[in-house]
Amino acid sequence: MKLVLLAVALFITLSSQRGLRYRDQSDFRAPLQFEKDGTFQISIFEDLHFGENAWDTWGPQQDINSVRVINQILDAESPGLVVLNGDLITGENTYLKNSTEYVDQIVGPLVERGLSWASTYGNHDHSFNVTGATILARERRWPNARTRQMVSGGDAGVSNYYLPVYDPKCIISGRAVSTCAPELLMWFFDSRGGWRYQQKHANGDKVGQPDWVDVGVVNWFLQTNAELTEKHQKITPSLAFVHIPTNASLALQEAGVDGHRQPGIDDDTPLAQQAQGWCPDGRDDGTCDYGGQDVPFMQAVTTTPGLMGLFSGHDHGDTWCYKWEGVLPGMTVAGHGLNVCFGQHTGYGGYGSWERGSRQILVTQAQLRKEKAVDTWIRLESGNVVGQVSLNSTYGQDKYPETPNTKTSCPTCNYTVVTPMPGTKRKRGRGSFDP
């Protein structure tokens, strides 16, 4: 623990020496914009799991390794935005007094480069000693943090918001011209899960919370999207990010992932989805496999015009994209061409030894106007690029090279995983608990 605190203190000191501001930055941030060449790139870092076993040598070393991965990928890519797509911290292993200090280590490489970032929170970010609200407060102390909370209420979670991206001609003196409509919308959702902050039952057990996007958030999304469509008199192309995938991802996986048509690793089978381990009546006593509480969210995202892709993490051994069409076996919600994607396990914390990396998304204004499609690939820690595809109208039919299933060799790393969340079950092939 002393090593971690010393590292954080050193980072803050160095940041101060470099002129980096460390205070509440919620007053003003310039809108996101496309580059002058009409491109906007997103780098997704997910499942970082900082703060595991800080009392052992391997815990702080994992965090050092994760920072190295972030730096290597940012040296190779040029994102306009970094998305931290859940499980920034392994909250079960942290103390109340230091849980959010790990945020400083995570965003250090971003702050040094002057990069903007936006987070969703995952099940491990909601625990007895840390929650999305406390992480958000820590994030907002740094420049260029775009994470925010647009939906209030105890059951809503925290990281529910949207960010517009404008044509550069629409940004004057750091502000968007009122008559300009955004070229792209990015939606961020909190799938919650984990434990309720500082709450225990009468018997001393921690209080678990649901692990799906709350219906109140779904209603906010539908209403807000409709208002934006009315305001701008057009359907704006959009992308969405949520940590825990929906049941549609499991149904697509069970339909069969083709290594050439949906290139990516498919090692987490069956994958863990929202509402896993819950009953339809709201019980999470382990008697049910799946409660269906994510149906409203699935209905919303699959019927939203202009929504091109939904990007998730959580299942460290899955890295594919799949175009969701029609009604899948065991499902009641029909897909209408939404691309459902996983990223790449970025952090050395959390289970698994798959090579660390980061999914990249390249959005171009010309492509949006032509067919509302984006390009995506995964940059690995080794520097290699895999799974490069175009999420266009023919994705799922086009053939691509298979993604090699490479592993990270790290003798000093420990892949032990923390206590399971309420309602989770042991996953075949993992040999450990998580998500």
Side-chain angles (χ1 to χ4, degrees), residues 273-294:
Q273 80 278 47
Q274 294 181 29
Q276 184 201 35
W278 292 75
C279 296
D281 62 5
R283 287 178 295 115
D284 63 338
D285 55 9
T287 60
C288 300
D289 292 328
Y290 167 67
Q293 288 88 346
D294 62 336

Side-chain angles (χ1 to χ4, degrees), residues 256-264 399-403:
V257 176
D258 186 312
H260 287 288
R261 289 181 170 79
Q262 295 92 24
K399 295 190 70 174
Y400 295 94
E402 285 189 308
T403 297

Side-chain angles (χ1 to χ4, degrees), residues 109-324:
L110 315 182
V111 174
E112 289 180 333
R113 290 170 171 82
L115 294 174
S116 291
W117 75 87
S119 300
T120 71
Y121 298 136
N123 47 305
H124 287 289
D125 297 316
H126 295 289
S127 196
F128 187 73
N129 287 326
V130 66
T131 188
T134 56
I135 296 174
L136 174 63
R138 191 75 178 195
E139 282 193 58
R140 298 293 290 182
R141 298 173 70 175
W142 289 105
N144 299 334
R146 305 278 177 165
T147 313
R148 60 193 61 192
Q149 183 177 13
M150 289 187 174
V151 185
S152 59
D155 291 326
V158 177
S159 55
N160 301 294
Y161 59 104
Y162 73 92
L163 295 173
V165 187
Y166 292 91
D167 185 288
K169 296 177 182 177
C170 287
I171 308 300
I172 298 178
S173 300
R175 296 186 181 276
V177 177
S178 59
T179 55
C180 279
E183 297 283 302
L184 176 72
L185 292 174
M186 295 179 292
W187 298 92
F188 301 84
F189 298 99
D190 192 338
S191 48
R192 304 177 297 165
W195 310 95
R196 294 193 183 275
Y197 184 64
Q198 295 289 293
Q199 292 185 31
K200 289 186 177 182
H201 293 292
N203 64 1
D205 291 343
K206 292 182 291 187
V207 180
Q209 70 172 337
D211 59 354
W212 57 85
V213 177
D214 183 66
V215 68
V217 174
V218 174
N219 293 335
W220 163 82
F221 165 59
L222 292 172
Q223 179 178 344
T224 304
N225 189 61
E227 290 172 351
L228 290 170
T229 300
E230 175 66 22
K231 176 181 178 180
H232 300 300
Q233 291 296 295
K234 72 167 191 174
I235 294 171
T236 305
S238 59
L239 300 171
F241 303 88
V242 66
H243 179 66
I244 304 178
T246 67
N247 193 55
S249 293
L250 177 59
L252 290 166
Q253 183 185 61
E254 291 175 339
V257 176
D258 186 312
H260 287 288
R261 289 181 170 79
Q262 295 92 24
I265 300 168
D266 186 36
D267 281 355
D268 267 338
T269 34
L271 62 81
Q273 80 278 47
Q274 294 181 29
Q276 184 201 35
W278 292 75
C279 296
D281 62 5
R283 287 178 295 115
D284 63 338
D285 55 9
T287 60
C288 300
D289 292 328
Y290 167 67
Q293 288 88 346
D294 62 336
V295 167
F297 181 61
M298 288 191 289
Q299 290 174 330
V301 294
T302 192
T303 59
T304 295
L307 183 58
M308 301 174 290
L310 175 65
F311 295 85
S312 301
H314 193 59
D315 294 282
H316 300 183
D318 291 328
T319 66
W320 41 265
C321 290
Y322 213 124
K323 188 178 291 294
W324 177 16

